[in-house]
Amino acid sequence: MKYLLLILPVCIIQNIFAQDGKIITSLPHAIDDSDKVFFQKRFKNADSVLSETTLQKITYLSDGLKISGYVAKPKDINKKYPCLIYCRGGNRDFGSLTSFEQFYIQRMAAWGYIVIASQYRGGPDSEGKDEFGGADINDVLNLL
């Protein structure tokens, strides 16, 4: 019983001061020119998608780890938009958010959404170990 009384306040204090979900860096990100050429050949609206949206590379906190991700938004900031969380497949580097997925989330932003996506822990530019559906689920929940 003594231990429960000691642990409970620690858990409450930890949750009060948690920084999960806090974006600590946000930098403009552009798709490589060679990839742009590929998208322009494959998608007839690629130029309008890229010109009507912005893409930012973010780093946010999840369970005390720095996690990498992306945010795509329409450039017209005078409106409110619904938000989508894009959950990539795979684990570690397999299924990571490459330029194709980055363009894809920009396409969804061009449809009128703010789209946020995570590389998950253990993925490119992210700290921690990917557990393939373990604690890395928090990396998605902390996007909220």
Side-chain angles (χ1 to χ4, degrees):
M1 185 67 171
K2 288 186 218 178
Y3 295 111
L4 179 61
L5 294 175
L6 292 174
I7 293 172
L8 189 59
V10 170
C11 292
I12 292 170
I13 291 170
Q14 182 181 4
N15 287 334
I16 290 172
F17 294 105
Q19 296 292 312
D20 288 341
K22 180 180 179 182
I23 296 175
I24 54 176
T25 64
S26 179
L27 300 169
H29 185 78
I31 293 172
D32 294 333
D33 288 336
S34 60
D35 291 330
K36 277 185 194 176
V37 171
F38 170 80
F39 297 130
Q40 289 166 335
K41 289 179 183 177
R42 186 161 181 184
F43 303 100
K44 62 183 176 183
N45 67 338
D47 288 329
S48 65
V49 165
L50 296 172
S51 67
E52 295 171 8
T53 62
T54 62
L55 183 65
Q56 295 174 307
K57 184 172 183 178
I58 62 167
T59 303
Y60 68 100
L61 296 176
S62 180
D63 296 339
L65 300 170
K66 293 178 183 175
I67 307 298
S68 176
Y70 294 92
V71 176
K73 304 176 192 177
K75 281 191 178 172
D76 182 0
I77 58 170
N78 295 321
K79 295 182 182 178
K80 288 187 176 184
Y81 297 100
C83 183
L84 297 175
I85 294 177
Y86 179 83
C87 297
R88 69 174 182 87
N91 66 334
R92 292 186 297 265
D93 289 341
F94 179 74
S96 64
L97 299 170
T98 64
S99 60
F100 184 81
E101 285 81 12
Q102 293 165 24
F103 178 75
Y104 190 70
I105 66 171
Q106 280 189 273
R107 284 182 68 199
M108 289 187 275
W111 300 336
Y113 296 96
I114 294 174
V115 186
I116 189 163
S118 176
Q119 289 284 34
Y120 308 140
R121 63 188 67 196
D125 300 324
S126 294
E127 296 177 342
K129 180 183 176 208
D130 190 335
E131 297 177 3
F132 202 54
D136 44 332
I137 301 252
N138 292 337
D139 301 345
V140 175
L141 296 175
N142 286 321
L143 291 173
L144 298 174

